[in-house]
Amino acid sequence: MANEWESVTEARALGTAPGSPFLVVVTAPARLQLGRVVALTKTQAVGRSGEADVALPDASMSRRHAELVVDGGTITVRDLGSRNGTWVNGVRVTEAVLRDGDRLQLGATTLHFHAPQGEAVEPWPREALEQAGVALWECAVPVRTIRWSKHADSALGLPPGTLPRESAPLSAVLHPEERADTRWLDGAAVDRPVQLLVGSQVRWVHLRAQRVAGPPGGADRFFGTAIDVTAVRQREEAVVRHALVFDNLGDPVLVTDCDGQVVDLNSAARQAFGVTKADAQGRELFSLVGAREPEVLGPSVLATLSASGRWTAELPLATVSGARFFEALGFHLKEGAEVVGAAWLLRDVSERRRLEARLNHLDRLASLGTMSAGIAHELNNPLSYVLANARFALERLGDGADAEVREALGDLQDGALRIASIVGDLRTFSRSDTQLETQPTDLRQVLDAALRVTAKLVNARAKVEVQVDGLPQVEAFEPRLVQVLVNLLLNAAQAIPEAPEPKGHITVRATAEGNGVALEVADDGEGMTPEVQQRVFDPFFTTRPVGFGAGLGLAVCHGVVTAMGGTLSVHSAPGQGSTFRLWLKRAQPRNLATPTPAPLAVSTRPLKVLMVDDEPLVLKALGRILWQHEVTQAHSVTDALARLDAGEAYDVVLCDLMMPERSGIDFYEALQQKAPALLQRVVFLTGGAFTERAQRFLRGVPNKQLIKPVDATVLRQVVREVGAAA
């Protein structure tokens, strides 16, 4: 091939001292590096990163692999402690002087050393380049003519004879889009991709060349290499398309090198962490995203990724909007079998975690409701016999007894009544809407119950003023209305900053309005912004931290009030407190058979009373209260039915609703067959209906029902009324 390039062998490189040595890349992992010329005019380090003077993209090369020391005309290569070594002509060296024609290997990259003698520039190492699939070309600068080496066609994937080996117009091989501007041939060097059109064949080639001066009187020429980059261009176009997708993903995505240094990040990541691409590049990933202890987390994650190729976790990160929880996924990026970096996908799961925490809190509240119902039920029986026995003891002692003993019994009775009131409030919260029916409700009575429940929390922050008297009854589910007022009172208290003195103020006032009653709960707390007011009744919306409210209270209140045919609204302003306004319809008249408790009374005749309860102490205590009647105790439904089967007759039956084995419902159903005439004389005692069957039964049965703990006066009155019909 030497006779093909006579003009080159006689040429002299412009801008380079005669005989300047250089290296030519003849093998490389990155094909675009083939034919690259490294001029050796000064001492410089070679490696794979920007820390080196000459950077070559080769993962098997160290960051600073070797140093080329220029001392006059002597070029020495010195290894810089590389992990894969420095090799000259197949021999590993620590330091060596290079000679013309030497092959220098750094990692997977081979460079051919050329040291021209005198002013002549010898032909480039054509054989090595053409064997690597690199075409050679020569272009006369003034006339824009080009010719190609013998194997250029095959190197560029074209049929043999496609490219001219003799000088031909450059426009004959350039794509029409390239012909208009060939100013890239006016400089001292060429290093650019160019699109060729030869016949019907279209190829993208990367041209790399140095401008050399011709012989005296001759034209300057370019002589260099051409590499087929058609596939590369196609991949680049695909990358551009993928980059658009990458940059428009809604979740933050970052790309790092194998050492965890950020290479790229999409728009969502830049916005989330408040950095530009330039600021992010080269920074350690976990430091950039604000992870806790990045110096510990980073090496641990990279070790896991190296072992399995994949890593996932949930972790808090510091974003521009504060700490957020992210579900992180990291995985290797590969070119063929070689790992070249990693991609990191971050999905913000803060809202999901917050929702899960609120739902868990809601579950705990539901569990608390169930537990409250159980506690209320379990307390009702001992309260029943404590109150009944205290009442019995006071009656038996009479006025002549020791005054201090009577006072002690009175205190005992008052304490038990106070406990009974608390148990009643617990039972109110544990009841479901299926147990409740709209009925005339005394608003003052409901408010008193709500104030008792919230007294400790509310009184710690505020003084409460109540203006609710002399109003008509409203149409409501009484237990749920208590719940609504409890929520409104607690919200009002929580809006007032906690301070020893002075305390805040909460005002509860009600007035008749139209065909209903309007009740307002006003506080002088922090108030709300218009944005918060718009969402205050939304489910799961709360301005309080996770764990300090499920964001359901006001939403539930709004739903309950609406279901009762009323309205619930709020008026507030920052720093001016809030006023929640509840409006309910006036109650409609009903014919309700409500027993009126009478003072201590005895029936005109002793009655035969059967008491059915699984608690012996309850049976004894209520038996003492009904001492003027003939009371028979049955400890189970089976025992009671056996007495009836034996022919015993009773005027009144007092039956507990919830018992183990067989319930009061089972007893009632058995009476329908055994003693239907006795059905209307059954009075049910209950501490709460905890099953759907029990709730349906109590709603449908016409019999009288007494809630434990039973007031002695009411019990005697009901027994007398029921017994009178016997």
Side-chain angles (χ1 to χ4, degrees), residues 447 450-451 454-468 485-497 502-510 519-526 576-580:
L447 179 60
L451 288 169
T454 60
K456 196 164 187 178
L457 290 173
V458 171
N459 294 340
R461 296 195 179 197
K463 296 178 180 178
V464 182
E465 180 183 353
V466 179
Q467 303 170 10
V468 181
L485 293 181
V486 164
N487 269 282
L488 296 182
L489 288 167
L490 290 178
N491 271 284
Q494 290 162 359
I496 297 171
K503 290 184 177 181
H505 289 83
I506 297 175
T507 303
V508 184
R509 50 181 171 266
L519 180 141
E520 292 182 348
V521 178
D523 65 73
D524 58 359
E526 297 174 343
Q576 298 181 23
S578 303
T579 300
F580 283 85

Side-chain angles (χ1 to χ4, degrees), residues 75-218:
I75 308 298
T76 304
V77 61
R78 181 181 300 147
D79 187 78
L80 296 178
S82 64
R83 65 176 183 270
N84 290 327
T86 298
W87 303 72
V88 176
N89 299 326
V91 178
R92 185 166 185 169
V93 299
T94 301
E95 183 175 315
V97 175
L98 296 178
R99 290 177 173 80
D100 187 36
D102 281 348
R103 286 181 297 106
L104 174 63
Q105 185 173 349
L106 308 176
T109 301
T110 303
L111 302 100
H112 192 287
F113 178 68
H114 189 59
Q117 300 299 317
E119 295 190 0
V121 179
E122 294 296 327
W124 291 29
R126 303 187 200 99
E127 187 175 346
L129 288 169
E130 291 196 337
Q131 286 177 356
V134 179
L136 304 179
W137 63 283
E138 182 184 6
C139 180
V141 177
V143 294
R144 300 294 202 260
T145 59
I146 191 169
R147 63 175 177 151
W148 299 84
S149 63
K150 180 179 179 181
H151 300 289
D153 299 317
S154 59
L156 300 181
L158 295 168
T162 304
L163 293 171
R165 294 182 61 194
E166 299 298 332
S167 294
L170 180 61
S171 59
V173 294
L174 283 181
H175 193 279
E177 295 177 1
E178 302 276 358
R179 295 170 188 167
D181 186 3
T182 58
R183 285 176 294 178
W184 45 273
L185 286 169
D186 294 336
V190 173
D191 190 354
R192 61 168 290 154
V194 174
Q195 193 174 13
L196 304 182
L197 175 62
V198 185
S200 61
Q201 299 288 326
V202 178
R203 285 287 185 275
W204 276 96
V205 298
H206 193 101
L207 301 179
R208 187 178 280 118
Q210 291 282 339
R211 183 169 180 162
V212 295

Side-chain angles (χ1 to χ4, degrees), residues 598-609 625-631 651-652 712-713 715-725:
L600 190 62
V602 295
S603 61
T604 54
R605 65 180 180 87
L607 299 171
K608 296 188 68 175
V609 179
I625 289 296
L626 299 176
W627 60 271
Q628 290 187 332
H629 301 287
E630 183 182 338
V631 178
D651 299 312
V652 180
T713 302
L715 177 63
R716 288 167 175 166
Q717 176 69 17
V718 169
V719 167
R720 187 179 65 176
E721 289 178 359
V722 173

Side-chain angles (χ1 to χ4, degrees), residues 254 262 264-265 269 273-276 279-281 283-291 294 318:
L254 301 96
V262 175
D264 199 2
L265 69 169
F273 301 108
V275 293
T276 65
D279 292 336
Q281 287 178 329
R283 291 181 60 183
E284 196 276 328
L285 170 68
F286 292 103
S287 175
L288 173 69
V289 299

Side-chain angles (χ1 to χ4, degrees), residues 231-249:
V232 174
R233 291 289 296 195
Q234 290 171 345
R235 286 198 299 270
E236 287 176 349
E237 291 172 359
V239 167
V240 170
R241 292 193 297 270
H242 293 323
L244 289 173
V245 176
F246 168 75
D247 206 51
N248 285 283
L249 287 174

